[in-house]
Amino acid sequence: VDHNIREMYYSTWKYTGRMSVSWLVTVIAIAVNITIVLVWMDLWQGRMPIGAVVAQAAIVQVFTWIFNWMAEALTNAENHKYQEQFYNSYLYKMFIFQFGNQYSAYFYIAVKQQFTKLGCQHDDCIGMIREQLPLVLVSLAAMRVVQVVFATLNVEFALWWETQALIRAG
């Protein structure tokens, strides 16, 4: 080997531009997510019945599904040279988004709830968080179980369909 191997070069300005657009889209997605969650909390003034808490968990789950797809597409579009850069960029996006997605409702209760017309129950905003958190977590866990069941059924159906196609083909 004569070490005259040429390496493909991707210009820095293109890479920086792709990263900037990717992070701009990520920040916009986070802002939209937090805005929707805070508007939802404002509708109930922080005092949500069980149905509203389950709906909040569904909102969190839907945004998680959407952003899982978005984060992968955005990170692929950044065109990283090394796997570690790809992984770190993906991980940062997911961490920041999920932090806002999962916890913005609790920040609302901890920071803004005391200034609403209804205020906190017994002037205890942390107690309100303590009441709502188990309901949201149980709802999210139940939704995750349903997801796993549907994914399992999907795989089982795909295997059955493939087996049937092989039987028909002879």
Side-chain angles (χ1 to χ4, degrees):
V1 176
D2 61 7
H3 298 289
N4 286 330
I5 300 171
R6 289 189 167 222
E7 183 176 344
M8 301 245 341
Y9 176 74
Y10 190 69
S11 64
T12 305
W13 71 269
K14 284 184 181 178
Y15 179 72
T16 304
R18 286 175 175 255
M19 288 288 290
S20 299
V21 169
S22 174
W23 278 99
L24 178 65
V25 171
T26 300
V27 167
I28 290 170
I30 293 167
V32 167
N33 170 256
I34 290 173
T35 300
I36 289 174
V37 170
L38 294 181
V39 166
W40 180 255
M41 293 295 291
D42 241 6
L43 284 173
W44 298 98
Q45 294 189 1
R47 297 188 179 192
M48 299 189 299
I50 284 185
V53 170
V54 171
Q56 177 195 353
I59 290 169
V60 166
Q61 196 63 40
V62 167
F63 274 109
T64 297
W65 290 335
I66 292 169
F67 196 76
N68 283 345
W69 173 82
M70 280 180 62
E72 185 175 351
L74 290 169
T75 308
N76 280 328
E78 292 170 354
N79 197 21
H80 293 283
K81 184 174 181 179
Y82 300 108
Q83 181 65 30
E84 183 178 358
Q85 291 172 330
F86 175 91
Y87 179 73
N88 287 338
S89 180
Y90 179 80
L91 188 63
Y92 295 149
K93 284 180 190 64
M94 291 302 291
F95 177 80
I96 292 168
F97 181 83
Q98 290 302 339
F99 182 79
N101 188 30
Q102 301 286 333
Y103 299 111
S104 57
Y106 305 112
F107 279 114
Y108 175 93
I109 293 172
V111 175
K112 187 176 187 278
Q113 179 70 36
Q114 60 191 339
F115 302 111
T116 62
K117 225 183 332 179
L118 295 177
C120 297
Q121 294 172 346
H122 313 295
D123 291 325
D124 184 18
C125 294
I126 301 301
M128 287 181 67
I129 293 172
R130 208 176 295 133
E131 286 177 19
Q132 287 185 9
L133 190 60
L135 292 172
V136 171
L137 291 177
V138 166
S139 300
L140 287 171
M143 288 178 199
R144 187 65 188 145
V145 168
V146 169
Q147 273 183 305
V148 169
V149 168
F150 277 126
T152 303
L153 292 174
N154 188 26
V155 168
E156 292 291 330
F157 178 75
L159 289 172
W160 175 82
W161 188 262
E162 188 175 331
T163 303
Q164 296 304 313
L166 289 172
I167 291 171
R168 278 184 254 130

